[in-house]
Amino acid sequence: MTQIPERLRRLLLFARKPSAAAPAPARPARQGHNLFEAAAVYVAACAEDDQARAEEAANRVSPGALSFGVNELACRALVALARERNEPPLTVARSLLGLRNDPA
């Protein structure tokens, strides 16, 4: 049993060391699309009813990443608008969605 952790340690050390025979692959200039850029384009396209641009932005990142980016954008926009209106974020959110201010 005590040999398993030692084997794993050696395996991990071996995996980290670059092979002398194989040069390290060149890193691309950009490692994919920024999820916040995709979210910004997606939300703006939806607001402008531009389905083609919304679909193109949605295909840049995974659905989970896009959802996270859209959620982050919504939170930041709500906080900024609430500060501008000098109102609580919940009041502004309910107003934007056309809901009554009293959550009954």
Coordinates of all heavy atoms in Angstrom, one line a residue:
M1 N 0.8 -1.2 0.0 CA 0.0 0.0 0.0 C 0.8 1.3 0.0 O 0.5 2.2 -0.6 CB -0.9 0.0 1.2 CG -2.2 -0.8 1.1 SD -3.2 0.0 -0.2 CE -4.8 -0.4 0.4
T2 N 1.9 1.3 0.7 CA 2.8 2.5 0.8 C 3.5 2.7 -0.5 O 4.0 3.8 -0.7 CB 3.8 2.4 1.9 OG1 4.6 1.2 1.7 CG2 3.1 2.3 3.3
Q3 N 3.5 1.8 -1.4 CA 4.2 2.0 -2.7 C 3.4 2.8 -3.7 O 3.9 3.4 -4.6 CB 4.5 0.6 -3.3 CG 5.5 -0.2 -2.6 CD 5.8 -1.5 -3.2 OE1 5.1 -1.9 -4.2 NE2 6.8 -2.3 -2.7
I4 N 2.1 2.8 -3.5 CA 1.2 3.5 -4.4 C 1.5 5.0 -4.4 O 1.7 5.6 -5.5 CB -0.3 3.2 -4.2 CG1 -0.6 1.8 -4.5 CG2 -1.2 4.1 -5.0 CD1 -1.9 1.3 -4.2
P5 N 1.5 5.7 -3.2 CA 1.8 7.1 -3.3 C 3.2 7.4 -3.9 O 3.4 8.4 -4.6 CB 1.8 7.5 -1.8 CG 0.9 6.5 -1.2 CD 1.1 5.3 -1.9
E6 N 4.2 6.6 -3.6 CA 5.5 6.8 -4.2 C 5.5 6.6 -5.7 O 6.1 7.4 -6.4 CB 6.5 5.8 -3.6 CG 7.9 5.9 -4.2 CD 8.6 7.2 -3.9 OE1 8.2 7.9 -2.9 OE2 9.5 7.6 -4.7
R7 N 4.7 5.7 -6.2 CA 4.6 5.5 -7.7 C 3.9 6.7 -8.3 O 4.3 7.2 -9.4 CB 3.8 4.3 -8.0 CG 4.5 3.0 -7.8 CD 3.6 1.8 -8.2 NE 4.3 0.6 -7.9 CZ 3.7 -0.6 -8.0 NH1 2.4 -0.7 -8.4 NH2 4.3 -1.7 -7.7
L8 N 2.9 7.2 -7.6 CA 2.2 8.4 -8.1 C 3.1 9.6 -8.2 O 3.1 10.4 -9.1 CB 0.9 8.7 -7.3 CG -0.3 7.7 -7.5 CD1 -1.3 8.0 -6.5 CD2 -0.8 7.9 -8.9
R9 N 3.9 9.8 -7.1 CA 4.8 10.9 -7.0 C 5.8 10.8 -8.2 O 6.0 11.8 -8.9 CB 5.5 10.9 -5.7 CG 6.4 12.2 -5.5 CD 7.2 12.1 -4.2 NE 8.2 11.0 -4.2 CZ 9.4 11.1 -4.8 NH1 9.7 12.2 -5.5 NH2 10.2 10.1 -4.7
R10 N 6.4 9.7 -8.4 CA 7.3 9.5 -9.5 C 6.7 9.8 -10.9 O 7.2 10.4 -11.8 CB 8.0 8.2 -9.5 CG 9.1 8.1 -8.5 CD 9.8 6.8 -8.5 NE 9.0 5.8 -7.8 CZ 9.1 4.5 -7.9 NH1 9.9 4.0 -8.8 NH2 8.3 3.7 -7.2
L11 N 5.5 9.3 -11.0 CA 4.7 9.4 -12.3 C 4.4 10.9 -12.5 O 4.6 11.4 -13.6 CB 3.4 8.6 -12.2 CG 2.5 8.7 -13.5 CD1 3.3 8.1 -14.7 CD2 1.2 8.0 -13.3
L12 N 4.0 11.6 -11.5 CA 3.7 13.0 -11.6 C 5.0 13.8 -11.9 O 5.0 14.8 -12.7 CB 3.1 13.6 -10.4 CG 1.6 13.1 -10.2 CD1 1.1 13.6 -8.8 CD2 0.7 13.6 -11.3
L13 N 6.1 13.5 -11.3 CA 7.4 14.2 -11.6 C 7.8 13.9 -13.0 O 8.3 14.8 -13.7 CB 8.5 13.7 -10.6 CG 8.4 14.2 -9.2 CD1 9.4 13.6 -8.3 CD2 8.5 15.7 -9.2
F14 N 7.6 12.7 -13.5 CA 8.0 12.3 -14.8 C 7.1 13.1 -15.8 O 7.6 13.6 -16.9 CB 7.9 10.8 -15.1 CG 8.2 10.4 -16.5 CD1 9.5 10.4 -16.9 CD2 7.2 10.1 -17.4 CE1 9.8 10.0 -18.3 CE2 7.4 9.7 -18.7 CZ 8.7 9.7 -19.1
A15 N 5.8 13.2 -15.5 CA 4.9 13.9 -16.4 C 5.2 15.4 -16.5 O 5.0 16.0 -17.5 CB 3.5 13.7 -16.0
R16 N 5.8 16.0 -15.4 CA 6.1 17.4 -15.4 C 7.3 17.8 -16.2 O 7.5 18.8 -16.7 CB 6.2 17.9 -14.0 CG 4.9 18.2 -13.3 CD 5.2 18.9 -12.1 NE 4.4 18.3 -11.0 CZ 4.6 18.5 -9.7 NH1 5.6 19.2 -9.3 NH2 3.8 17.9 -8.9
K17 N 8.3 16.8 -16.2 CA 9.6 17.1 -16.9 C 9.4 17.1 -18.4 O 8.9 16.1 -18.9 CB 10.6 16.1 -16.5 CG 11.0 16.2 -15.0 CD 12.0 15.2 -14.7 CE 12.4 15.2 -13.2 NZ 13.3 14.2 -12.8
P18 N 9.8 18.1 -19.1 CA 9.7 18.1 -20.6 C 10.8 17.1 -21.1 O 11.9 17.0 -20.6 CB 10.0 19.5 -21.0 CG 10.8 20.1 -19.9 CD 10.3 19.4 -18.6
S19 N 10.4 16.4 -22.1 CA 11.3 15.5 -22.8 C 12.4 16.2 -23.5 O 12.1 17.2 -24.2 CB 10.5 14.6 -23.7 OG 11.4 13.8 -24.5
A20 N 13.6 15.8 -23.4 CA 14.7 16.5 -24.1 C 14.6 16.3 -25.6 O 15.0 17.2 -26.4 CB 16.1 16.0 -23.6
A21 N 14.0 15.2 -26.1 CA 13.9 14.9 -27.5 C 12.8 15.7 -28.1 O 12.9 16.1 -29.3 CB 13.7 13.4 -27.7
A22 N 11.7 15.9 -27.4 CA 10.6 16.6 -27.9 C 10.6 18.1 -27.5 O 10.5 18.3 -26.3 CB 9.3 15.9 -27.5
P23 N 10.7 19.0 -28.4 CA 10.6 20.4 -28.0 C 9.2 20.8 -27.5 O 8.2 20.2 -28.0 CB 11.0 21.2 -29.3 CG 10.6 20.2 -30.4 CD 10.8 18.9 -29.8
A24 N 9.2 21.8 -26.7 CA 7.9 22.2 -26.2 C 7.1 22.8 -27.3 O 7.6 23.6 -28.1 CB 8.1 23.3 -25.1
P25 N 5.8 22.5 -27.4 CA 4.9 23.1 -28.4 C 4.8 24.6 -28.3 O 4.8 25.1 -27.2 CB 3.6 22.4 -28.3 CG 3.6 21.9 -26.9 CD 5.0 21.6 -26.5
A26 N 4.8 25.3 -29.4 CA 4.6 26.7 -29.3 C 3.2 27.1 -28.9 O 2.2 26.4 -29.3 CB 4.9 27.3 -30.7
R27 N 3.1 28.0 -28.0 CA 1.8 28.4 -27.5 C 1.1 29.3 -28.5 O 1.8 30.2 -29.0 CB 1.9 29.2 -26.1 CG 2.3 28.3 -25.0 CD 2.4 29.0 -23.7 NE 1.0 29.3 -23.3 CZ 0.7 30.1 -22.3 NH1 1.6 30.7 -21.6 NH2 -0.5 30.3 -22.0
P28 N -0.1 29.1 -28.7 CA -0.8 30.0 -29.7 C -0.9 31.4 -29.0 O -0.9 31.5 -27.8 CB -2.2 29.4 -29.8 CG -2.4 28.4 -28.7 CD -1.0 28.0 -28.3
A29 N -1.0 32.4 -29.8 CA -1.1 33.8 -29.3 C -2.3 33.9 -28.4 O -2.2 34.7 -27.4 CB -1.2 34.8 -30.5
R30 N -3.4 33.2 -28.7 CA -4.6 33.4 -27.8 C -5.1 32.0 -27.6 O -5.3 31.2 -28.5 CB -5.6 34.2 -28.5 CG -6.7 34.6 -27.7 CD -7.5 35.7 -28.2 NE -8.7 35.9 -27.4 CZ -9.6 36.7 -27.7 NH1 -9.5 37.5 -28.8 NH2 -10.6 36.9 -26.9
Q31 N -5.5 31.6 -26.4 CA -5.9 30.3 -26.1 C -7.4 30.2 -26.0 O -8.0 29.7 -25.1 CB -5.4 29.9 -24.7 CG -3.9 29.8 -24.7 CD -3.4 28.5 -24.2 OE1 -4.2 27.7 -23.7 NE2 -2.1 28.3 -24.3
G32 N -8.1 30.6 -27.1 CA -9.5 30.5 -27.1 C -10.2 31.9 -26.9 O -9.5 32.9 -26.8
H33 N -11.5 31.9 -26.9 CA -12.2 33.2 -26.8 C -12.4 33.5 -25.3 O -12.6 32.7 -24.5 CB -13.5 33.1 -27.5 CG -13.3 33.0 -29.0 ND1 -13.1 34.1 -29.8 CD2 -13.4 31.9 -29.8 CE1 -13.0 33.7 -31.0 NE2 -13.1 32.4 -31.1
N34 N -12.4 34.8 -25.0 CA -12.7 35.3 -23.7 C -14.2 35.2 -23.5 O -15.0 35.7 -24.3 CB -12.2 36.8 -23.6 CG -12.4 37.4 -22.3 OD1 -13.4 37.2 -21.6 ND2 -11.4 38.1 -21.8
L35 N -14.6 34.5 -22.4 CA -16.0 34.3 -22.1 C -16.7 35.6 -21.9 O -17.9 35.7 -22.2 CB -16.2 33.3 -21.0 CG -15.8 33.8 -19.6 CD1 -17.1 34.2 -18.8 CD2 -15.2 32.6 -18.8
F36 N -16.1 36.6 -21.3 CA -16.7 37.9 -21.1 C -17.0 38.6 -22.4 O -18.0 39.3 -22.6 CB -16.0 38.8 -20.1 CG -15.9 38.1 -18.7 CD1 -14.7 37.8 -18.1 CD2 -17.1 37.9 -18.0 CE1 -14.7 37.2 -16.9 CE2 -17.1 37.3 -16.8 CZ -15.9 37.0 -16.2
E37 N -16.0 38.5 -23.3 CA -16.3 39.1 -24.7 C -17.5 38.4 -25.3 O -18.3 39.1 -25.9 CB -15.0 39.0 -25.5 CG -13.9 39.8 -25.2 CD -12.6 39.6 -26.0 OE1 -12.7 38.9 -27.0 OE2 -11.6 40.1 -25.7
A38 N -17.5 37.1 -25.3 CA -18.6 36.4 -25.9 C -19.9 36.7 -25.2 O -20.9 36.9 -25.9 CB -18.3 34.9 -25.8
A39 N -19.9 36.9 -23.9 CA -21.2 37.2 -23.2 C -21.6 38.6 -23.6 O -22.8 38.9 -23.8 CB -20.9 37.1 -21.7
A40 N -20.7 39.6 -23.7 CA -21.1 40.9 -24.1 C -21.7 41.0 -25.4 O -22.7 41.6 -25.7 CB -19.8 41.9 -24.0
V41 N -21.0 40.3 -26.4 CA -21.5 40.3 -27.8 C -22.9 39.6 -27.8 O -23.8 40.0 -28.5 CB -20.5 39.6 -28.7 CG1 -21.1 39.3 -30.1 CG2 -19.3 40.4 -28.8
Y42 N -23.0 38.5 -27.1 CA -24.3 37.7 -27.0 C -25.4 38.5 -26.5 O -26.5 38.6 -27.1 CB -24.1 36.4 -26.2 CG -25.3 35.6 -26.1 CD1 -25.7 34.7 -27.1 CD2 -26.2 35.7 -25.0 CE1 -26.9 34.0 -27.0 CE2 -27.3 34.9 -24.9 CZ -27.7 34.1 -25.9 OH -28.8 33.3 -25.8
V43 N -25.2 39.2 -25.4 CA -26.3 40.0 -24.8 C -26.7 41.2 -25.6 O -27.8 41.5 -25.9 CB -25.9 40.4 -23.3 CG1 -26.9 41.5 -22.8 CG2 -25.8 39.2 -22.4
A44 N -25.6 41.9 -26.2 CA -25.9 43.0 -27.1 C -26.6 42.6 -28.3 O -27.6 43.2 -28.7 CB -24.6 43.7 -27.4
A45 N -26.3 41.4 -28.9 CA -27.0 40.9 -30.1 C -28.4 40.6 -29.7 O -29.3 40.8 -30.5 CB -26.2 39.7 -30.6
C46 N -28.6 40.0 -28.6 CA -30.0 39.6 -28.2 C -30.8 40.9 -28.0 O -32.0 41.0 -28.4 CB -30.0 38.8 -26.9 SG -29.4 37.1 -27.2
A47 N -30.2 41.9 -27.4 CA -30.9 43.2 -27.2 C -31.3 43.9 -28.5 O -32.3 44.5 -28.6 CB -30.1 44.1 -26.3
E48 N -30.4 43.7 -29.5 CA -30.6 44.3 -30.8 C -31.4 43.3 -31.8 O -31.5 43.6 -33.0 CB -29.3 44.7 -31.4 CG -28.6 45.7 -30.6 CD -27.1 45.9 -31.1 OE1 -26.6 45.1 -31.9 OE2 -26.5 46.9 -30.6
D49 N -31.8 42.2 -31.3 CA -32.5 41.1 -32.0 C -31.7 40.7 -33.3 O -32.2 40.5 -34.4 CB -33.9 41.7 -32.5 CG -34.8 40.5 -32.8 OD1 -34.6 39.4 -32.3 OD2 -35.8 40.7 -33.6
D50 N -30.4 40.5 -33.1 CA -29.5 40.0 -34.1 C -29.2 38.6 -33.8 O -28.2 38.2 -33.2 CB -28.2 40.9 -34.1 CG -27.3 40.6 -35.3 OD1 -27.5 39.5 -35.9 OD2 -26.4 41.4 -35.5
Q51 N -30.0 37.7 -34.4 CA -29.9 36.2 -34.1 C -28.6 35.7 -34.6 O -28.0 34.8 -33.9 CB -31.1 35.5 -34.7 CG -31.1 34.0 -34.3 CD -31.4 33.8 -32.8 OE1 -32.0 34.6 -32.2 NE2 -30.8 32.7 -32.3
A52 N -28.1 36.1 -35.8 CA -26.9 35.5 -36.3 C -25.7 35.9 -35.5 O -24.9 35.0 -35.2 CB -26.7 36.0 -37.7
R53 N -25.6 37.1 -35.0 CA -24.5 37.5 -34.1 C -24.6 36.8 -32.8 O -23.6 36.4 -32.2 CB -24.5 39.0 -34.0 CG -23.1 39.5 -33.6 CD -23.0 41.0 -33.7 NE -24.2 41.7 -33.1 CZ -24.1 42.8 -32.3 NH1 -23.0 43.3 -32.0 NH2 -25.2 43.3 -31.8
A54 N -25.8 36.6 -32.3 CA -26.0 35.9 -31.0 C -25.5 34.5 -31.1 O -24.8 34.0 -30.2 CB -27.4 36.0 -30.5
E55 N -25.9 33.8 -32.2 CA -25.4 32.4 -32.4 C -23.9 32.3 -32.5 O -23.3 31.4 -32.0 CB -26.1 31.8 -33.6 CG -27.6 31.5 -33.3 CD -28.3 31.0 -34.6 OE1 -27.6 30.7 -35.6 OE2 -29.5 30.9 -34.5
E56 N -23.3 33.3 -33.2 CA -21.9 33.3 -33.4 C -21.2 33.5 -32.1 O -20.2 32.8 -31.8 CB -21.5 34.4 -34.4 CG -20.0 34.3 -34.9 CD -19.1 35.0 -34.0 OE1 -19.5 36.0 -33.4 OE2 -17.9 34.5 -33.8
A57 N -21.7 34.4 -31.3 CA -21.1 34.6 -30.0 C -21.3 33.4 -29.1 O -20.4 33.0 -28.3 CB -21.7 35.8 -29.3
A58 N -22.4 32.7 -29.1 CA -22.7 31.5 -28.3 C -21.8 30.4 -28.7 O -21.5 29.5 -27.8 CB -24.2 31.1 -28.5
N59 N -21.3 30.3 -29.9 CA -20.5 29.2 -30.4 C -19.0 29.5 -30.0 O -18.2 28.6 -30.2 CB -20.6 29.0 -31.9 CG -21.9 28.4 -32.2 OD1 -22.5 27.6 -31.5 ND2 -22.5 28.8 -33.4
R60 N -18.7 30.6 -29.5 CA -17.3 30.9 -29.1 C -16.8 30.2 -27.9 O -15.6 29.9 -27.8 CB -17.1 32.4 -28.9 CG -17.2 33.3 -30.1 CD -16.9 34.7 -29.7 NE -17.2 35.6 -30.8 CZ -17.2 36.9 -30.7 NH1 -16.8 37.5 -29.5 NH2 -17.5 37.7 -31.7
V61 N -17.7 30.0 -27.0 CA -17.4 29.4 -25.7 C -18.4 28.3 -25.3 O -19.4 28.2 -26.0 CB -17.3 30.4 -24.5 CG1 -16.2 31.4 -24.8 CG2 -18.6 31.1 -24.4
S62 N -18.1 27.5 -24.3 CA -19.1 26.5 -23.9 C -20.3 27.1 -23.4 O -20.3 28.3 -22.9 CB -18.4 25.6 -22.8 OG -18.3 26.3 -21.6
P63 N -21.4 26.4 -23.4 CA -22.7 26.9 -22.8 C -22.6 27.3 -21.4 O -23.1 28.3 -20.9 CB -23.7 25.8 -23.0 CG -23.2 25.0 -24.2 CD -21.7 25.1 -24.1
G64 N -21.8 26.6 -20.6 CA -21.7 26.9 -19.2 C -20.9 28.2 -19.0 O -21.2 29.0 -18.1
A65 N -19.8 28.3 -19.8 CA -19.0 29.6 -19.7 C -19.8 30.8 -20.2 O -19.8 31.8 -19.5 CB -17.8 29.4 -20.6
L66 N -20.6 30.6 -21.2 CA -21.5 31.7 -21.7 C -22.5 32.1 -20.6 O -22.7 33.3 -20.3 CB -22.2 31.3 -23.0 CG -23.1 32.4 -23.5 CD1 -22.3 33.6 -23.9 CD2 -23.9 31.9 -24.7
S67 N -23.1 31.1 -19.9 CA -24.1 31.3 -18.9 C -23.4 32.1 -17.7 O -24.0 33.1 -17.2 CB -24.6 30.0 -18.4 OG -25.5 30.2 -17.3
F68 N -22.2 31.7 -17.4 CA -21.5 32.4 -16.3 C -21.2 33.9 -16.7 O -21.4 34.8 -15.9 CB -20.2 31.7 -16.0 CG -19.3 32.4 -15.0 CD1 -19.5 32.4 -13.7 CD2 -18.2 33.2 -15.5 CE1 -18.8 33.1 -12.8 CE2 -17.4 33.9 -14.6 CZ -17.7 33.8 -13.2
G69 N -20.8 34.1 -18.0 CA -20.5 35.4 -18.5 C -21.7 36.3 -18.5 O -21.6 37.5 -18.1
V70 N -22.8 35.7 -19.0 CA -24.1 36.5 -19.0 C -24.5 36.9 -17.6 O -24.9 38.0 -17.3 CB -25.1 35.7 -19.8 CG1 -26.5 36.3 -19.6 CG2 -24.8 35.6 -21.3
N71 N -24.4 35.9 -16.7 CA -24.8 36.2 -15.3 C -23.9 37.3 -14.7 O -24.4 38.2 -14.0 CB -24.6 34.9 -14.5 CG -25.1 35.1 -13.0 OD1 -26.2 35.5 -12.8 ND2 -24.2 34.9 -12.1
E72 N -22.6 37.2 -14.9 CA -21.7 38.2 -14.4 C -22.0 39.6 -15.0 O -22.0 40.6 -14.3 CB -20.2 37.8 -14.7 CG -19.2 38.8 -14.1 CD -19.2 38.7 -12.6 OE1 -19.6 37.7 -12.0 OE2 -18.7 39.7 -12.0
L73 N -22.3 39.6 -16.3 CA -22.7 40.9 -17.0 C -24.0 41.5 -16.4 O -24.1 42.7 -16.1 CB -22.8 40.7 -18.5 CG -23.3 41.9 -19.3 CD1 -22.3 43.0 -19.2 CD2 -23.5 41.5 -20.8
A74 N -24.9 40.6 -16.2 CA -26.2 41.0 -15.6 C -26.0 41.6 -14.2 O -26.6 42.7 -13.8 CB -27.2 39.9 -15.5
C75 N -25.2 40.9 -13.4 CA -24.9 41.4 -12.0 C -24.2 42.8 -12.0 O -24.6 43.7 -11.3 CB -24.1 40.4 -11.2 SG -24.9 38.9 -10.8
R76 N -23.2 42.9 -12.9 CA -22.5 44.2 -13.0 C -23.4 45.3 -13.5 O -23.3 46.4 -13.0 CB -21.3 44.0 -13.8 CG -20.2 43.2 -13.2 CD -19.0 43.1 -14.1 NE -18.0 42.1 -13.6 CZ -16.8 42.0 -14.0 NH1 -16.4 42.7 -15.0 NH2 -16.0 41.0 -13.5
A77 N -24.2 45.0 -14.5 CA -25.1 46.0 -15.1 C -26.1 46.4 -14.0 O -26.5 47.6 -13.9 CB -25.8 45.5 -16.3
L78 N -26.7 45.5 -13.3 CA -27.7 45.8 -12.3 C -27.1 46.7 -11.2 O -27.7 47.7 -10.7 CB -28.3 44.5 -11.7 CG -29.4 44.7 -10.7 CD1 -30.6 45.4 -11.3 CD2 -29.8 43.4 -10.1
V79 N -25.9 46.4 -10.7 CA -25.3 47.2 -9.7 C -25.0 48.6 -10.2 O -25.3 49.6 -9.5 CB -24.0 46.5 -9.2 CG1 -23.1 47.4 -8.3 CG2 -24.3 45.2 -8.4
A80 N -24.5 48.7 -11.4 CA -24.2 50.0 -12.0 C -25.5 50.8 -12.1 O -25.5 52.0 -11.8 CB -23.5 49.9 -13.3
L81 N -26.6 50.2 -12.6 CA -27.8 50.9 -12.8 C -28.4 51.3 -11.4 O -29.0 52.4 -11.3 CB -28.8 50.0 -13.6 CG -30.1 50.7 -14.1 CD1 -29.7 51.9 -14.9 CD2 -30.8 49.7 -15.0
A82 N -28.3 50.4 -10.4 CA -28.8 50.7 -9.1 C -28.1 51.9 -8.5 O -28.7 52.8 -7.9 CB -28.7 49.5 -8.2
R83 N -26.8 51.9 -8.7 CA -26.0 53.1 -8.2 C -26.4 54.4 -8.9 O -26.6 55.4 -8.2 CB -24.5 52.9 -8.4 CG -24.0 51.9 -7.4 CD -22.5 51.7 -7.6 NE -22.0 50.7 -6.7 CZ -20.9 50.0 -6.9 NH1 -20.2 50.2 -8.0 NH2 -20.4 49.1 -6.1
E84 N -26.6 54.3 -10.2 CA -27.1 55.5 -11.0 C -28.4 56.0 -10.5 O -28.6 57.2 -10.4 CB -27.1 55.1 -12.5 CG -27.4 56.2 -13.4 CD -27.4 55.7 -14.8 OE1 -26.3 55.4 -15.3 OE2 -28.5 55.7 -15.5
R85 N -29.3 55.1 -10.2 CA -30.7 55.4 -9.8 C -30.8 55.7 -8.3 O -31.8 56.1 -7.8 CB -31.7 54.3 -10.2 CG -31.9 54.2 -11.7 CD -32.9 53.1 -11.9 NE -33.2 52.9 -13.3 CZ -34.2 52.1 -13.7 NH1 -34.9 51.4 -12.9 NH2 -34.3 51.9 -15.0
N86 N -29.7 55.3 -7.6 CA -29.7 55.5 -6.1 C -30.8 54.6 -5.5 O -31.5 55.1 -4.6 CB -29.7 56.9 -5.7 CG -29.2 57.1 -4.3 OD1 -28.5 56.3 -3.8 ND2 -29.7 58.2 -3.6
E87 N -31.0 53.4 -6.0 CA -32.0 52.5 -5.5 C -31.3 51.1 -5.2 O -30.3 50.8 -5.8 CB -33.1 52.3 -6.6 CG -33.9 53.5 -6.9 CD -34.9 53.3 -8.0 OE1 -34.9 52.2 -8.6 OE2 -35.8 54.2 -8.2
P88 N -32.0 50.3 -4.4 CA -31.5 49.0 -4.2 C -31.5 48.1 -5.4 O -32.4 48.3 -6.3 CB -32.4 48.4 -3.1 CG -33.2 49.5 -2.6 CD -33.2 50.6 -3.6
P89 N -30.5 47.2 -5.6 CA -30.5 46.4 -6.8 C -31.8 45.6 -7.0 O -32.3 45.4 -8.1 CB -29.3 45.4 -6.6 CG -28.4 46.2 -5.7 CD -29.3 47.0 -4.8
L90 N -32.4 45.1 -5.9 CA -33.7 44.3 -6.1 C -34.8 45.2 -6.7 O -35.5 44.7 -7.5 CB -34.1 43.7 -4.7 CG -35.4 42.9 -4.8 CD1 -35.2 41.7 -5.8 CD2 -35.7 42.4 -3.4
T91 N -34.9 46.4 -6.2 CA -35.9 47.3 -6.8 C -35.7 47.5 -8.2 O -36.6 47.5 -9.0 CB -35.9 48.6 -6.0 OG1 -36.1 48.4 -4.6 CG2 -36.9 49.6 -6.5
V92 N -34.4 47.8 -8.6 CA -34.1 48.0 -10.0 C -34.4 46.7 -10.9 O -35.0 46.8 -11.9 CB -32.7 48.5 -10.2 CG1 -32.3 48.6 -11.7 CG2 -32.4 49.8 -9.5
A93 N -34.0 45.6 -10.4 CA -34.2 44.3 -11.1 C -35.7 44.1 -11.3 O -36.1 43.7 -12.4 CB -33.6 43.2 -10.3
R94 N -36.5 44.3 -10.3 CA -37.9 44.1 -10.4 C -38.5 45.1 -11.4 O -39.4 44.7 -12.2 CB -38.6 44.1 -9.0 CG -38.2 43.0 -8.1 CD -38.9 43.1 -6.8 NE -40.3 42.8 -6.9 CZ -40.9 41.6 -7.1 NH1 -40.1 40.6 -7.1 NH2 -42.2 41.5 -7.2
S95 N -38.1 46.3 -11.3 CA -38.5 47.3 -12.3 C -38.2 47.0 -13.7 O -39.0 47.1 -14.6 CB -37.9 48.7 -11.9 OG -38.2 49.7 -12.9
L96 N -37.0 46.5 -14.0 CA -36.6 46.1 -15.3 C -37.4 45.0 -15.9 O -37.7 44.9 -17.1 CB -35.1 45.8 -15.4 CG -34.1 46.9 -15.2 CD1 -32.7 46.4 -15.0 CD2 -34.2 47.9 -16.3
L97 N -37.8 44.1 -15.0 CA -38.6 42.9 -15.4 C -40.1 43.2 -15.4 O -40.9 42.3 -15.7 CB -38.3 41.7 -14.5 CG -36.9 41.2 -14.6 CD1 -36.6 40.2 -13.5 CD2 -36.6 40.6 -16.0
G98 N -40.5 44.4 -15.0 CA -41.9 44.8 -15.0 C -42.7 44.2 -13.9 O -43.9 44.0 -14.0
L99 N -42.0 43.9 -12.8 CA -42.6 43.3 -11.6 C -43.0 44.4 -10.6 O -42.3 45.5 -10.6 CB -41.7 42.3 -10.9 CG -41.2 41.1 -11.8 CD1 -40.2 40.3 -11.1 CD2 -42.4 40.3 -12.2
R100 N -44.0 44.1 -9.8 CA -44.3 45.1 -8.7 C -43.2 45.2 -7.7 O -42.4 44.3 -7.5 CB -45.6 44.6 -8.0 CG -46.8 44.6 -8.8 CD -48.0 44.3 -8.0 NE -47.7 43.4 -6.9 CZ -48.5 42.5 -6.4 NH1 -49.7 42.3 -6.9 NH2 -48.2 41.7 -5.4
N101 N -43.0 46.4 -7.1 CA -41.9 46.6 -6.2 C -42.1 45.8 -4.9 O -41.1 45.6 -4.2 CB -41.7 48.1 -5.9 CG -41.0 48.8 -7.0 OD1 -40.3 48.2 -7.8 ND2 -41.3 50.1 -7.2
D102 N -43.3 45.5 -4.5 CA -43.5 44.8 -3.3 C -43.6 43.3 -3.6 O -44.5 42.8 -4.2 CB -44.8 45.2 -2.5 CG -46.0 45.1 -3.4 OD1 -45.9 45.2 -4.6 OD2 -47.1 44.9 -2.8
P103 N -42.6 42.5 -3.2 CA -42.6 41.1 -3.6 C -43.6 40.3 -2.7 O -43.2 39.6 -1.8 CB -41.1 40.6 -3.2 CG -40.6 41.6 -2.2 CD -41.4 42.9 -2.5
A104 N -44.8 40.4 -3.1 CA -45.9 39.7 -2.3 C -46.2 38.3 -2.8 O -46.0 37.9 -3.8 CB -47.2 40.5 -2.4

